[in-house]
Amino acid sequence: MDWKQNYEYGVPVPELIKRYKELYTGAVYDVLDHMGYPNQALANGLKPVRQDMTLAGPAFTIKGIPDIKGDEDLRTRRIHLFNDMRSIGCPLIDTRDCSMDTQAAHYGEMNAVLGKASGVVGAVVDGGCRDTGFLVRDNFPVFCQYQTPVEAYMRWSYYDWQMPIALKGALTSVVPVHPGDFLFGDLDGVVVIPRKLVVEALEKTEALVQVENQARAEFASGADPVEIYKKYGKL
């Protein structure tokens, strides 16, 4: 299947990634909130495996399910998803809906190695991660709910990919994520930018941050904070 149209934004993906990573999630969230999308923050427990890690990019969605039998058809089929990643031809965020499983690791070093060779620049895993030391040493950004040494085999398996998924939300039970939606994460967490809003939200956030920087500089100068607040409406 050709998913490339889901990754066309009118601005090249590498440029979008660069510009988003110059911002911060709080500002992006505020802009989405004011645009009428207040429920785009993922659950508070979803954090980077190292505090200074950030990620930005379009979602390649993966759905996993509990699999206590170790279904060989599912295990054999999963290798094809990496070729599907490569076929898209732009940087991607491996984005995993783990069906609320809390037992196993749903991401690890080999996923990262194969992923990087297939265009992946980071992962958002609504579940567990292992081989974390390798990921940290390789400076590969992964956001997950927890770390564990527990192997997924006979516990959890890939089911399908490039389909709508649902990740746990901060303000709602879940946040829908579609292929091509944009994910942006830093120490505060992860926000999901719907594909149709990626460029508009970016431009509005850049404008917001510029105003904030001006207000911040004036606050730091020791000038009257009341007057600065009246001028910018920021605090």
Side-chain angles (χ1 to χ4, degrees):
M1 184 179 296
D2 184 5
W3 293 291
K4 289 184 179 180
Q5 63 183 3
N6 290 40
Y7 298 86
E8 296 173 355
Y9 308 93
V11 176
V13 171
E15 180 183 338
L16 291 173
I17 291 172
K18 180 179 182 296
R19 289 167 64 184
Y20 265 103
K21 292 184 79 170
E22 291 172 351
L23 305 173
Y24 63 98
T25 55
V28 174
Y29 174 82
D30 288 349
V31 164
L32 290 171
D33 193 12
H34 292 148
M35 292 175 72
Y37 292 82
N39 300 320
Q40 299 307 117
L42 298 184
N44 299 332
L46 197 67
K47 296 294 184 182
V49 295
R50 192 181 67 214
Q51 288 191 337
D52 64 340
M53 286 180 168
T54 63
L55 58 71
F60 184 99
T61 61
I62 296 173
K63 174 68 175 178
I65 57 173
D67 176 25
I68 60 173
K69 294 183 178 180
D71 188 306
E72 284 303 319
D73 289 338
L74 293 177
R75 285 178 59 80
T76 300
R77 181 171 178 265
R78 63 180 178 165
I79 195 65
H80 296 288
L81 75 86
F82 295 100
N83 283 333
D84 287 343
M85 287 174 170
R86 293 176 186 180
S87 72
I88 293 170
C90 73
L92 300 167
I93 301 298
D94 184 326
T95 308
R96 301 193 174 202
D97 172 354
C98 302
S99 296
M100 306 295 179
D101 180 70
T102 59
Q103 293 185 328
H106 312 100
Y107 197 86
E109 180 203 11
M110 293 302 292
N111 293 132
V113 170
L114 270 170
K116 284 198 301 181
S118 307
V120 173
V121 294
V124 172
V125 182
D126 193 8
C129 174
R130 74 177 201 166
D131 311 326
T132 309
F134 291 99
L135 301 172
V136 169
R137 285 194 290 274
D138 202 27
N139 199 34
F140 187 77
V142 176
F143 285 60
C144 62
Q145 295 282 359
Y146 60 88
Q147 285 95 37
T148 178
V150 176
E151 161 68 45
Y153 180 58
M154 299 292 287
R155 300 177 179 90
W156 180 90
S157 186
Y158 300 82
Y159 173 69
D160 206 352
W161 49 89
Q162 289 300 76
M163 60 184 289
I165 60 174
L167 307 186
K168 290 190 286 294
L171 297 180
T172 52
S173 57
V174 296
V175 177
V177 182
H178 298 80
D181 288 348
F182 223 76
L183 278 75
F184 176 42
D186 60 20
L187 181 57
D188 288 334
V190 180
V191 291
V192 179
I193 304 101
R195 185 168 68 91
K196 65 182 180 180
L197 303 178
V198 169
V199 175
E200 182 182 2
L202 173 61
E203 292 173 345
K204 288 185 175 181
T205 307
E206 289 174 332
L208 171 65
V209 169
Q210 185 176 17
V211 172
E212 288 183 340
N213 288 341
Q214 293 170 344
R216 187 179 295 112
E218 293 189 29
F219 279 129
S221 73
D224 184 351
V226 174
E227 293 303 315
I228 298 171
Y229 181 74
K230 287 180 181 178
K231 181 178 179 180
Y232 295 106
K234 296 295 178 184
L235 182 61

